């Protein structure tokens, strides 16, 4: 859109004027370079997760529970869960009517809170500890369709051996192997079919989780 192009132009202008620019991934660094920012001024400092804190927990997993985590006042997450509930889960529910979606979220917007009115959808609001929700879920989801940087929600789930199904945008900055340690769906239908496939196969869930 025109607003996005204006924002990208202003971003490149400010980055070019700076002595140094720090980004989170090579993808971001290459994008800035493609817009005329001198590559020598761009420094990649990736973020990560504490592997002592985020690690597998000895708790039973709910075989039909899906989880989406993140700050739900963030517009990209709001759009992602809206797509998830209205475009992806209806496909899943046709094959897996007992599947339940947990949106574990800090500061859920009114639009996100309203999703809890839909059967089999739970919106928790802020929780003291995200780890039990990741540990108990069969699958973690990250269906953002725009945004930049490394998605910590994906790294946190992988660190806890929870298999991840995500969009290409959520995976773009990660050095993963689709089909080996993560499942990436290009379309809503692709994401839904990955979810259905994993829900039907405890062995595949364990394999993807452990590889992650």
């Amino acid at each position: 859109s025109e607003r996005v192009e204006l924002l990208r132009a202003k971003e490149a202008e400010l980055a070019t004027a700076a002595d140094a620019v720090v980004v989170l991934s090579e993808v971001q660094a290459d994008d800035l370079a493609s817009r005329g920012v001198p590559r020598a001024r761009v420094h990649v400092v990736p973020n990560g997760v504490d592997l002592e804190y985020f690690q597998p927990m000895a708790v039973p997993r709910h075989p039909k529970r899906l989880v989406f985590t993140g700050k739900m006042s963030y517009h990209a997450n709001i759009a992602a869960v809206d797509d998830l509930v209205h475009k992806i889960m209806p496909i899943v529910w046709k094959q897996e009517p007992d599947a339940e979606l947990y949106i574990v979220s800090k500061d859920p917007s009114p639009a996100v809170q309203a999703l809890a009115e839909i059967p089999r959808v739970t919106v928790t609001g802020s929780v003291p500890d995200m780890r039990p929700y990741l540990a108990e879920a069969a699958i973690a989801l990250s269906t953002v369709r725009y945004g930049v940087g490394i998605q910590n929600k994906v790294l946190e789930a992988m660190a806890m051996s929870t298999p991840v199904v995500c969009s290409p945008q959520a995976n773009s900055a990660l050095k993963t192997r689709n089909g080996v340690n993560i499942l990436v769906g290009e379309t809503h239908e692709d994401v839904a079919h990955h979810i259905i496939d994993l829900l039907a196969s405890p062995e595949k869930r364990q394999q993807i989780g452990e590889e992650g």
Side-chain angles (χ1 to χ4, degrees):
S1 70
E2 183 178 348
R3 291 180 66 185
V4 172
E5 290 306 313
L6 286 172
L7 179 61
R8 285 175 57 81
K10 189 64 176 178
E11 182 182 56
E13 176 188 334
L14 293 173
T16 301
D19 294 328
V21 180
V22 177
V23 296
L24 299 177
S25 72
E26 292 290 346
V27 173
Q28 291 174 286
D30 292 341
D31 178 59
L32 286 176
S34 73
R35 288 183 277 152
V37 180
R39 186 62 177 83
R41 296 186 197 170
V42 182
H43 306 275
V44 178
V45 182
N47 55 307
V49 297
D50 183 346
L51 296 180
E52 294 297 321
Y53 185 79
F54 289 98
Q55 57 178 288
M57 299 173 66
V59 297
R61 290 191 183 271
H62 293 263
K64 302 296 182 181
R65 181 172 297 176
L66 315 174
V67 64
F68 185 108
T69 63
K71 187 175 182 181
M72 287 303 151
S73 58
Y74 175 44
H75 51 83
N77 283 336
I78 295 172
V81 295
D82 186 73
D83 276 356
L84 184 55
V85 170
H86 292 114
K87 297 179 181 179
I88 295 172
M89 290 308 299
I91 301 172
V92 174
W93 282 322
K94 286 181 180 179
Q95 297 292 322
E96 294 283 355
D98 294 330
E100 56 180 1
L101 173 63
Y102 270 60
I103 300 170
V104 182
S105 56
K106 180 181 180 182
D107 302 328
S109 69
V112 173
Q113 292 179 46
L115 296 176
E117 298 175 8
I118 298 172
R120 296 161 294 185
V121 176
T122 299
V123 179
T124 66
S126 296
V127 297
D129 191 343
M130 192 77 69
R131 293 173 298 174
Y133 293 91
L134 289 170
E136 294 172 0
I139 303 168
L141 305 172
S142 182
T143 51
V144 292
R145 291 291 166 185
Y146 61 93
V148 296
I150 293 173
Q151 295 290 316
N152 267 22
K153 61 171 63 71
V154 174
L155 296 181
E156 290 164 359
M158 295 176 81
M160 300 193 71
S161 292
T162 304
V164 175
V165 176
C166 69
S167 61
Q169 291 83 353
N171 187 58
S172 63
L174 302 177
K175 296 178 181 179
T176 57
R177 289 185 293 163
N178 187 18
V180 176
N181 49 29
I182 200 167
L183 294 175
V184 182
E186 294 281 344
T187 66
H188 297 130
E189 292 78 11
D190 291 338
V191 171
H193 292 149
H194 282 320
I195 294 170
I196 292 166
D197 184 36
L198 283 183
L199 288 178
S201 176
E203 295 80 9
K204 188 169 184 178
R205 293 200 303 270
Q206 182 176 356
Q207 177 186 355
I208 296 289
E210 289 179 354
E211 288 289 339

